[in-house]
Amino acid sequence: MAVLLLAEVTGGELQLDATAKAMTAAAKLGEVTVLCAGASAAAAGEAAATLAGASKVLVAEDASLGHRLAEDTAQLIASLAESYDHILAPATTDAKNILPRVAALLDVMVISDVSAVIDADTFERPVYAGNAVQTVKSGDAKKVATIRTTGFEAAGTQAACAVETVAVPGATGLSDWVEDRLAASDRPDLTSAKIVVSGGRGLGSEESFAIIGALADKLGAAVGASRAAVDSGYAPNDWQVGQTGKVVAPELYIACGISGAIQHLAGMKDSKVIVAINKDEEAPIFQIADYGLVADLFEAVPALTEKL
Amino acid sequence: MKILVPVKRVIDYNVKVRVKADGSGVDLANVKMSMNPFDEIAVEEAIRLKEKGVATEVVVVSIGVKQAQETLRTALAMGADRAILVEAADDVHTDIEPLAVAKILAKIVGEEQPQLVIAGKQAIDNDMNATGQMLSALLGWSQATFASELSVEGDAATVTREVDGGLQTIKVRLPAIVTVDLRLNEPRYASLPNIMKAKKKPLDVKTAADLGVDVAPRLTVVKTAEPAARAAGEMVGSVDELVAKLKEKGLV
């Protein structure tokens, strides 16, 4: 089986963690060709060539691919599709924008958020906000799927494989990029951080989130938030962990003032170790926590920061 | 400008999902069903564009079982002008896949000629996050997914999108498909007089066969299972005890 893996490339740089995890899923299916697309993607291509499991890297460079707008990127992938049985990508917002479009161009169903690969046609994926796991078998000739990266370990490294350049179809001109407003932060990326410290509605205000930040900075951790905290305006949306936000699976997840709504649990329950700090001993978060502490977070979190 | 809004009837957001013991799916018999929450946001946005004088008509469409009429009536009560139901299944447990839904919507777009389709970014049942993108591909239109801000000027729309790491703003040429994220707006509740009025608004019924679309699934559901449960943990009595446990495990 021949697999085309769309690498996550942002601003010309390979996003190693997401791509390496999707590679592990791709390598289960066959020989993997990695596609790096962007206004500049050569450096990303060189990096992808050393990812264990890559047999070839394709570099597609064109101004129209600069911000990975769906129309042009999907058109590129569809133009390459003939040679592959599977077309995969890590389930980032970019890939979720692009791959369903690719699938429709190929007249196949997309398989979103794959959490396990059973065989070449059969995949597991969460449905109903993670309240159920479905095993689906595709009857389509080509399989187009996004990979939920938390379900897979990152692939290692290898001696670099061959890198080739591919032709880019002309721009569709359907959409234009205007601007990116990316949150600048010295903290690690939420989806790849080893430790995540999250705050919930229990924080009570945007200002109070500083104690979450202080603990995170002490641990070199990323900061997350529950949807309740985001909806209340205490935290920006890109911090949101949950079914409608980001799905994370760090080594350690510290939930502070989070009750544990189903939609939040769906985004973090695959974390290796979960710590919950909440003053309500009945909070559902304690049912899935490895270590629970019933305490006022305004006392416990600063104390934890000091003692670690 | 006409706006088309697809809406889906799904299990209510607040209902606890129960997986059927035989692994054949999720139990939807006698369960409260509502409009997909993301679709409510899409309906609200379309109505606001009409209230601003940008749109002239808001048409809502639902694809599925005949009970989806209730979902359409909800959208009409919120303020949509007209509804179309495309019957494509008899059993409430039958989920029509995004590819088939997109093909049906493409036919409806052909009949209705809207300039803008506003859809929810995903349905909270199958969580596919695909219909808008697929419809856009089939029509060869521009697409803007995960919108948290939308403005329409002339023959283009400016859309701010929720992406990993922050926000991206793009300009899409009309006609376009926009799929909406949570922060775009807060949907209104329908008032009682509007619920009464909605009963008199037009609702056309068609079938997938009328439109010549094959809705046979491409993905066979082999089984549906409960997610793996986590083993119960332990409660600690103090911050010091917690720190000791974390150090013992080598986590900090």
Side-chain angles (χ1 to χ4, degrees):
Chain A
M1 295 274 165
V3 184
L4 183 68
L5 172 64
L6 175 67
E8 184 72 4
V9 178
T10 316
E13 228 179 282
L14 180 71
Q15 300 300 309
L16 184 65
D17 185 73
T19 308
K21 285 173 174 166
M23 171 61 87
T24 300
K28 288 179 184 225
L29 294 163
E31 197 174 80
V32 183
T33 300
V34 182
L35 172 63
C36 292
S40 68
E46 295 298 327
T50 63
L51 210 50
S55 65
K56 189 165 57 169
V57 171
L58 303 179
V59 171
E61 287 189 330
D62 190 84
S64 66
L65 302 171
H67 301 281
R68 302 222 308 172
L69 297 180
E71 299 89 337
D72 294 321
T73 314
Q75 178 179 265
L76 166 71
I77 297 170
S79 76
L80 300 168
E82 200 183 340
S83 314
Y84 304 95
D85 306 295
H86 293 83
I87 297 170
L88 308 182
T92 58
T93 47
D94 264 7
K96 288 179 170 184
N97 189 29
I98 297 164
L99 283 211
R101 189 172 180 106
V102 172
L105 291 174
L106 301 174
D107 191 28
V108 303
M109 229 337 256
V110 70
I111 309 164
S112 305
D113 269 326
V114 165
S115 52
V117 174
I118 310 296
D119 62 35
D121 308 319
T122 316
F123 306 89
E124 275 182 20
R125 55 181 303 272
V127 291
Y128 290 91
N131 285 297
V133 179
Q134 227 164 39
T135 306
V136 294
K137 187 175 168 69
S138 169
D140 283 322
K142 288 185 197 301
K143 280 69 176 170
V144 177
T146 56
I147 305 298
R148 181 169 274 207
T149 51
T150 53
F152 301 89
E153 298 291 331
T157 55
Q158 66 177 19
C161 66
V163 179
E164 289 174 17
T165 306
V166 291
V168 177
T172 62
L174 288 169
S175 300
D176 292 310
W177 173 82
V178 178
E179 67 165 345
D180 284 335
R181 274 175 283 160
L182 301 184
S185 169
D186 296 334
R187 295 189 183 122
D189 177 55
L190 190 53
T191 48
S192 57
K194 296 244 178 317
I195 304 178
V196 173
V197 182
S198 279
R201 206 202 306 262
L203 267 302
S205 73
E206 191 179 351
E207 294 71 38
S208 306
F209 247 83
I211 64 170
I212 301 296
L215 176 56
D217 291 341
K218 184 79 176 272
L219 293 167
V223 175
S226 69
R227 182 169 161 195
V230 172
D231 285 352
S232 306
Y234 306 163
N237 192 51
D238 53 303
W239 289 7
Q240 189 187 145
V241 172
Q243 184 69 12
T244 50
K246 294 200 170 62
V247 179
V248 303
E251 299 291 319
L252 175 62
Y253 188 91
I254 304 178
C256 310
I258 293 177
S259 64
I262 290 164
Q263 99 90 26
H264 184 74
L265 302 186
M268 46 66 80
K269 67 185 168 49
D270 293 326
S271 304
K272 302 278 187 307
V273 172
I274 297 172
V275 170
I277 301 171
N278 200 304
K279 68 178 177 198
D280 175 12
E281 62 185 285
E282 302 290 324
I285 190 88
F286 288 124
Q287 289 165 21
I288 62 144
D290 297 276
Y291 303 110
L293 175 63
V294 178
D296 180 349
L297 68 93
F298 293 103
E299 287 164 19
V301 174
L304 192 56
T305 306
E306 193 191 313
K307 287 172 181 175
L308 282 170
Chain B
M1 183 179 77
K2 190 192 282 187
I3 302 179
L4 187 74
V5 184
V7 297
K8 185 175 185 182
R9 179 179 185 267
V10 298
I11 191 165
D12 187 82
Y13 189 66
N14 295 309
V15 171
K16 172 96 179 91
V17 170
R18 280 183 304 129
V19 175
K20 287 199 260 185
D22 63 1
S24 64
V26 163
D27 194 0
L28 297 177
N30 305 315
V31 166
K32 185 184 179 202
M33 305 293 278
S34 299
M35 192 190 305
N36 179 42
F38 290 104
D39 301 349
E40 276 189 314
I41 296 170
V43 172
E44 175 67 32
E45 194 66 16
I47 296 168
R48 288 187 191 186
L49 285 170
K50 191 183 169 194
E51 288 167 348
K52 280 184 204 155
V54 176
T56 50
E57 189 182 27
V58 176
V59 180
V60 288
V61 54
S62 193
I63 294 154
V65 292
K66 64 175 186 298
Q67 293 91 325
Q69 286 205 17
E70 296 159 18
T71 314
L72 289 168
R73 291 287 174 206
T74 304
L76 293 171
M78 286 172 73
D81 298 297
R82 191 154 66 75
I84 302 166
L85 171 67
V86 180
E87 286 183 13
D90 297 322
D91 181 352
V92 294
H93 291 93
T94 306
D95 189 37
I96 309 297
E97 285 177 351
L99 180 62
V101 170
K103 286 179 178 180
I104 290 169
L105 290 174
K107 297 277 188 183
I108 302 282
V109 165
E111 290 174 3
E112 295 286 338
Q113 300 287 318
Q115 282 292 293
L116 190 59
V117 176
I118 307 180
K121 74 163 180 177
Q122 72 190 71
I124 62 163
D125 50 5
N126 66 32
D127 283 332
M128 276 288 184
N129 188 338
T131 300
Q133 296 91 314
M134 291 188 132
L135 175 60
S136 177
L138 297 177
L139 296 169
W141 286 12
S142 48
Q143 77 181 48
T145 50
F146 324 143
S148 60
E149 281 175 57
L150 166 65
S151 65
V152 178
E153 312 93 10
D155 61 352
T158 302
V159 181
T160 298
R161 308 177 53 233
E162 304 264 359
V163 296
D164 291 339
L167 299 170
Q168 178 183 65
T169 303
I170 62 172
K171 196 164 184 173
V172 294
R173 187 188 296 167
L174 299 181
I177 314 283
V178 174
T179 79
V180 306
D181 217 321
L182 289 173
R183 289 200 298 179
L184 182 63
N185 62 48
E186 284 220 21
R188 69 193 68 191
Y189 290 101
S191 65
L192 191 58
N194 286 341
I195 291 170
M196 300 312 288
K197 266 189 234 161
K199 291 181 179 168
K200 298 203 176 82
K201 289 185 178 177
L203 191 157
D204 281 351
V205 182
K206 302 171 189 287
T207 67
D210 291 343
L211 297 167
V213 176
D214 177 9
V215 298
R218 305 293 187 87
L219 305 178
T220 311
V221 178
V222 179
K223 71 168 180 194
T224 304
E226 297 264 3
R230 281 183 78 94
E234 56 179 306
M235 299 303 287
V236 294
S238 68
V239 171
D240 288 323
E241 198 183 330
L242 178 59
V243 170
K245 293 280 185 192
L246 294 178
K247 286 192 170 154
E248 194 181 301
K249 284 255 184 182
L251 288 161
V252 291

